[in-house]
Amino acid sequence: MEYLIGEFSLVARLSVKTLRFYHEEGLLLPSRIDAVTGYRYYDEAAAGRAAAIRELRALGFSLDAIKEILSRCEDDEDIVPYLERRGEEIASEIEDSRATQRMIQEFLERQKEIQGMNVDRNIVIKELPELTVAGIRFKGKYDQVGKYFGPLMKRAGKYALSGPMTIYHDREYRDEDADIEVCVPVRKALNEGELASHPLAGGRAVTLIHQGPYDTISDSYRKIGAYIKDCGLRASVPSREIYIKGPGLIFMGNPKKYLTEIQVIAVHVDDEASRAS
Amino acid sequence: MEYLIGEFSLVARLSVKTLRFYHEEGLLLPSRIDAVTGYRYYDEAAAGRAAAIRELRALGFSLDAIKEILSRCEDDEDIVPYLERRGEEIASEIEDSRATQRMIQEFLERQKEIQGMNVDRNIVIKELPELTVAGIRFKGKYDQVGKYFGPLMKRAGKYALSGPMTIYHDREYRDEDADIEVCVPVRKALNEGELASHPLAGGRAVTLIHQGPYDTISDSYRKIGAYIKDCGLRASVPSREIYIKGPGLIFMGNPKKYLTEIQVIAVHVDDEASRAS
DNA sequence: CTTGACCCTCCAGCGGCTGGAGGGTGGAAG
DNA sequence: CTTCCACCCTCCAGCCGCTGGAGGGTCAAG
């Protein structure tokens, strides 16, 4: 029983192109080639080999691997070691895919969280809990903050309870040499190299969500300052900025859409006075 | 701040080759190209874009997809739909991989089962349970059996309790026109087209495992026949052949290693006589 | 002036095919 | 006898995301 390539293509369930390619590769040879026309003819034995090739391809073996398997094995039991190795390969591929999927999931969840937040553009009074934060403290200019986020998240990311924030330890504004701490709330204290953990006191805070690029944030600070003064309060250090929405993980994003929550813990002047006495 | 391509390669964590390739593709353009030397120079903005590209590549996006994403999105929230779709893609890739893995697993388990079987080359008396089998019955020659296995396993494979077998309904040997049923034990009766299910009676059977190609199986039948006669038993129809090891799923295998168990249910002549009376 | 570390362009190759151009063959229909 | 169609052939390009190498220019240090 002899087949022309087109007929054999139906039997073997491999395209004519693929059959010619496998011939060229020496993977599946026709049983006979007509010397005059150059036509390829295939037989039953070729059909068996073709079926084996199809099966092995379906299991994800490369053509080279299949060549090796077909040359080395003549019985199903001989391919057991190949299948075992292939199984492990697939397992690790799956593991990789799942890791990628987890990354996507986390990203989407974070995004959803941000989306779901209803943003109040007014001043809000909040009771802040005490936190343990792990951070890197340095003296410098505001725009150096960005450089510290990478190392911070790399080391503390696993233990982070929420997104990163910046703590300003100065009582007043400083252009150069500001005392800045880039940090993140963590589950457990963590000290390693420049990274240091410490408790961060809670309390009643005046908060405001600033929308726009960071270089306009002083407007929002002014609002908070005015509010604090009007209410007869007094700002205590340190103050914090929480990055609700900043330059994304992937994009710089549009600075006009950046959202930064400013939190300044404030106490009544009389309370302070009475406590001081 | 300007980088030569080699320096930028460290910043961007992309190989020089890749950077040149991305340039050619229009995916990541240098900020400036020296008209005289042709040197590429990159800046901070390019570093940002490079980081985005790296992230997206790590999530498995194609360069084309990345081009589209970078041209359409300018904020992390814009890529949510892309990530969602990508997540689904990955999920289906994982599903495919798992299907492949299951196939490999099943194959390995079957192999192990066969390996683990201790093969007794002598005549063995077994008590066979009653079974429900789904099979295709036809009249023809022995070597047509092979053709029916494919369709059989395709339809009944899901419900199969064990490997396929052949039932011979003739009392004596027939070369042409034998009454043959290719079947498989199933969990539940199953009727569809040529596929029909029915119970298969159990009983005390004389069994022998035949090793070698099918065309020598008559030797083993002779042995069984002789044994039955010697013991004063009488063979009842149908008899069965169980393919312990035959042409594999992938390889034809070595016919000398084929193992086929012949099972002939036999009763004492006196029992039969007494029952007949 | 040489050395060596950069940089450039251009081309080939990986794997596993697919598509198409350009041409031959064989049988049936008009 | 021509024409058509369905086959078959070979050879080359293209997909994707790079990588490697050949062959050559550039730049700063020794």
Side-chain angles (χ1 to χ4, degrees):
Chain A
M1 188 55 190
E2 249 184 2
Y3 302 99
L4 274 166
I5 199 168
E7 297 159 359
F8 187 68
S9 151
L10 296 173
V11 176
R13 281 182 290 169
L14 292 168
S15 79
V16 170
K17 284 281 191 189
T18 302
L19 288 172
R20 286 203 267 256
F21 178 67
Y22 285 176
H23 176 197
E24 197 177 352
E25 289 288 293
L27 184 57
L28 178 59
L29 302 172
S31 54
R32 181 173 78 82
I33 296 170
D34 188 301
V36 181
T37 63
Y39 281 23
R40 292 168 179 86
Y41 292 91
Y42 293 86
D43 60 8
E44 294 296 341
R49 198 175 163 92
I53 293 170
R54 261 206 351 268
E55 287 294 327
L56 294 170
R57 284 290 305 140
L59 297 179
F61 286 98
S62 71
L63 295 196
D64 270 5
I66 294 175
K67 244 182 262 184
E68 191 189 318
I69 291 172
L70 290 180
S71 71
R72 286 236 221 292
C73 306
E74 60 160 20
D75 193 292
D76 269 14
E77 76 187 353
D78 301 336
I79 63 169
V80 166
Y82 293 94
L83 285 180
E84 280 168 349
R85 241 185 305 151
R86 180 78 193 116
E88 286 161 25
E89 268 176 47
I90 294 176
S92 83
E93 282 168 23
I94 290 178
E95 201 29 66
D96 290 358
S97 294
R98 275 224 282 262
T100 310
Q101 223 179 12
R102 271 196 300 276
M103 283 171 62
I104 292 179
Q105 280 303 331
E106 276 166 32
F107 184 97
L108 289 175
E109 270 158 33
R110 188 131 23 104
Q111 245 5 74
K112 221 168 269 171
E113 209 176 281
I114 292 171
Q115 295 279 342
M117 245 151 54
N118 58 339
V119 172
D120 187 341
R121 290 292 191 304
N122 300 309
I123 281 177
V124 174
I125 307 298
K126 286 186 185 172
E127 197 64 43
L128 302 181
E130 184 176 312
L131 295 172
T132 299
V133 297
I136 300 168
R137 190 162 172 175
F138 67 97
K139 281 190 194 271
K141 294 184 72 171
Y142 180 86
D143 53 14
Q144 289 180 281
V145 160
K147 290 181 193 162
Y148 291 92
F149 276 127
L152 171 67
M153 293 315 282
K154 209 172 192 173
R155 279 189 277 211
K158 280 195 280 264
Y159 308 96
L161 291 171
S162 63
M165 57 170 86
T166 308
I167 300 177
Y168 296 92
H169 291 278
D170 297 301
R171 183 160 288 276
E172 77 276 327
Y173 177 75
R174 284 165 155 276
D175 196 19
E176 314 271 332
D177 246 21
D179 186 357
I180 299 173
E181 185 173 1
V182 171
C183 66
V184 65
V186 287
R187 274 204 302 281
K188 62 173 200 125
L190 197 65
N191 292 284
E192 182 197 343
E194 353 166 61
L195 195 74
S197 295
H198 60 87
L200 182 61
R204 186 168 296 256
V206 179
T207 74
L208 175 62
I209 292 174
H210 169 77
Q211 174 163 13
Y214 297 130
D215 52 17
T216 64
I217 206 165
S218 53
D219 297 346
S220 294
Y221 270 103
R222 256 195 303 279
K223 273 188 209 161
I224 286 193
Y227 178 89
I228 287 174
K229 207 173 166 194
D230 287 357
C231 296
L233 297 167
R234 188 180 171 85
S236 67
V237 286
S239 64
R240 330 176 186 173
E241 284 176 15
I242 292 166
Y243 302 102
I244 298 173
K245 181 153 167 42
L249 289 177
I250 296 187
F251 294 102
M252 280 305 293
N254 180 354
K256 284 183 188 162
K257 290 185 175 177
Y258 288 0
L259 296 174
T260 311
E261 181 169 346
I262 304 169
Q263 298 179 334
V264 178
I265 291 177
V267 289
H268 278 283
V269 176
D270 6 333
D271 286 7
E272 206 178 31
S274 65
R275 228 182 302 163
S277 67
Chain B
M1 188 54 189
E2 248 183 1
Y3 302 98
L4 274 165
I5 197 168
E7 298 159 359
F8 186 68
S9 151
L10 296 173
V11 175
R13 280 182 291 168
L14 292 168
S15 79
V16 170
K17 284 281 191 187
T18 301
L19 288 172
R20 286 203 268 256
F21 178 67
Y22 286 175
H23 176 196
E24 196 178 352
E25 289 289 292
L27 184 58
L28 178 59
L29 302 172
S31 55
R32 182 173 77 81
I33 295 170
D34 188 300
V36 181
T37 65
Y39 280 24
R40 292 167 179 86
Y41 292 90
Y42 293 85
D43 61 9
E44 295 295 340
R49 196 175 164 92
I53 293 170
R54 261 208 348 271
E55 286 293 328
L56 293 169
R57 284 288 306 141
L59 298 178
F61 286 99
S62 71
L63 296 195
D64 270 5
I66 294 175
K67 245 181 260 182
E68 191 188 320
I69 292 172
L70 291 180
S71 70
R72 286 237 220 293
C73 307
E74 60 159 18
D75 193 291
D76 269 14
E77 75 188 354
D78 301 335
I79 63 169
V80 166
Y82 293 94
L83 286 180
E84 280 168 349
R85 241 186 306 152
R86 181 78 193 118
E88 286 161 25
E89 267 177 46
I90 294 177
S92 84
E93 282 169 23
I94 290 179
E95 201 30 65
D96 290 356
S97 293
R98 274 224 285 261
T100 309
Q101 224 180 14
R102 271 197 300 276
M103 284 170 61
I104 292 179
Q105 280 302 331
E106 276 167 32
F107 184 97
L108 289 175
E109 270 159 32
R110 188 128 24 102
Q111 249 359 77
K112 222 169 267 171
E113 210 176 282
I114 292 171
Q115 297 277 343
M117 246 151 54
N118 57 340
V119 172
D120 186 340
R121 288 293 191 306
N122 301 309
I123 280 178
V124 175
I125 308 297
K126 286 186 183 171
E127 197 65 43
L128 303 180
E130 184 176 311
L131 296 172
T132 298
V133 297
I136 300 169
R137 190 161 172 175
F138 67 96
K139 281 192 193 271
K141 295 185 71 174
Y142 180 84
D143 52 15
Q144 288 178 281
V145 161
K147 290 180 192 159
Y148 292 91
F149 276 127
L152 173 67
M153 294 315 282
K154 210 171 192 172
R155 279 188 278 208
K158 281 195 280 263
Y159 307 97
L161 291 169
S162 64
M165 59 170 84
T166 307
I167 299 176
Y168 296 92
H169 291 277
D170 298 300
R171 183 161 284 277
E172 78 275 323
Y173 176 75
R174 285 165 155 276
D175 197 19
E176 316 270 332
D177 245 22
D179 186 356
I180 300 173
E181 185 173 2
V182 172
C183 65
V184 65
V186 287
R187 274 204 303 280
K188 63 172 200 126
L190 197 64
N191 292 283
E192 182 196 343
E194 355 166 60
L195 196 74
S197 296
H198 59 87
L200 182 62
R204 185 169 297 255
V206 179
T207 74
L208 175 61
I209 291 175
H210 169 77
Q211 173 164 13
Y214 297 131
D215 52 18
T216 64
I217 205 165
S218 53
D219 297 345
S220 294
Y221 270 104
R222 255 195 303 279
K223 272 188 211 164
I224 286 193
Y227 179 91
I228 287 175
K229 208 174 166 193
D230 287 357
C231 297
L233 297 169
R234 189 183 170 83
S236 67
V237 287
S239 64
R240 329 175 188 172
E241 284 175 14
I242 292 167
Y243 302 102
I244 297 172
K245 179 154 168 40
L249 289 178
I250 297 188
F251 294 101
M252 278 304 294
N254 181 353
K256 284 184 188 165
K257 290 185 175 177
Y258 288 0
L259 296 175
T260 311
E261 182 169 345
I262 303 168
Q263 297 179 335
V264 178
I265 291 177
V267 288
H268 277 283
V269 176
D270 7 331
D271 287 10
E272 206 177 30
S274 64
R275 223 182 306 164
S277 67

